[in-house]
């Protein structure tokens, strides 16, 4: 299954809507295809200028390592030297904090990743998870 532009757009819009509904700070959302290419990038009015890069880094890191950014954060605490090396190898693109969610099809295939930034990392992830579920996909935030 492929993540279409229409579905990625719907996920991004829903993330932004959820942020407003929940009273979160303005969010930025990036949806990447399995190769790490941007399908959609959107920001709420007032979202900070670094939020795109952070949202991208959360999603990109999840794709690159095959783990949610929450799982990467847990591992980074245990293996800081390894994550310093990954940061260097990735040109600083990997952002190992919650808010980067792998998107899986009903069959478990990886179809995309969503990164959200703007509020607390837990709130960012909450919006991504809800939007992905509402679009009919499975968000993978498991810490392994």
């Amino acid at each position: 299954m492929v993540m279409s532009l229409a579905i990625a757009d719907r996920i991004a819009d829903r993330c932004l809507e959820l942020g407003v509904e929940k009273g979160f700070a303005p969010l930025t959302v990036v949806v990447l295809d399995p190769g790490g290419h941007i399908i959609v990038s959107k920001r709420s009015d007032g979202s900070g200028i670094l939020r795109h890069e952070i949202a991208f880094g959360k999603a990109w890191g999840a794709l690159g390592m095959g783990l949610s950014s929450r799982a990467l954060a847990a591992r980074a605490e245990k293996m800081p030297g390894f994550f310093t090396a990954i940061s260097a190898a990735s040109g600083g693109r990997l952002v190992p904090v919650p808010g980067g969610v792998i998107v899986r099809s009903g069959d478990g295939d990886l179809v995309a990743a969503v990164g959200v930034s703007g509020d607390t990392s837990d709130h960012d992830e909450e919006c991504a998870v809800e939007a992905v579920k509402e679009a009919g996909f499975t968000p993978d935030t498991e810490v392994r």
Side-chain angles (χ1 to χ4, degrees):
M1 174 177 251
V2 175
M3 174 67 64
S4 70
L5 174 59
I7 294 171
D9 198 44
R10 192 165 71 224
I11 289 170
D13 284 344
R14 187 62 182 138
C15 281
L16 299 180
E17 290 168 2
L18 286 163
V20 171
E21 289 172 13
K22 294 171 182 285
F24 296 164
L27 301 177
T28 296
V29 182
V30 175
V31 181
L32 304 178
D33 71 12
H37 304 98
I38 296 172
I39 303 171
V40 170
S41 177
K42 292 189 173 189
R43 60 182 288 279
S44 296
D45 293 341
S47 187
I49 63 171
L50 281 176
R51 295 302 178 180
H52 169 82
E53 286 78 6
I54 296 167
F56 177 88
K58 289 178 179 185
W60 192 87
L63 285 173
M65 295 298 292
L67 298 167
S68 72
S69 61
R70 176 173 295 281
L72 295 178
R75 287 188 178 192
E77 287 182 24
K78 296 175 186 171
M79 303 181 303
F82 179 68
F83 276 82
T84 298
I86 290 174
S87 180
S90 71
R93 289 182 283 184
L94 185 138
V95 178
V97 296
V101 175
I102 291 176
V103 181
R104 297 194 182 278
S105 69
D107 296 332
D109 295 331
L110 187 149
V111 295
V114 176
V116 180
S117 179
D119 202 272
T120 67
S121 294
D122 288 338
H123 288 163
D124 295 344
E125 181 183 81
E126 181 181 331
C127 291
V129 165
E130 285 187 43
V132 167
K133 285 181 180 178
E134 288 180 22
F137 291 89
T138 302
D140 182 349
T141 60
E142 185 177 335
V143 176
R144 298 180 190 122

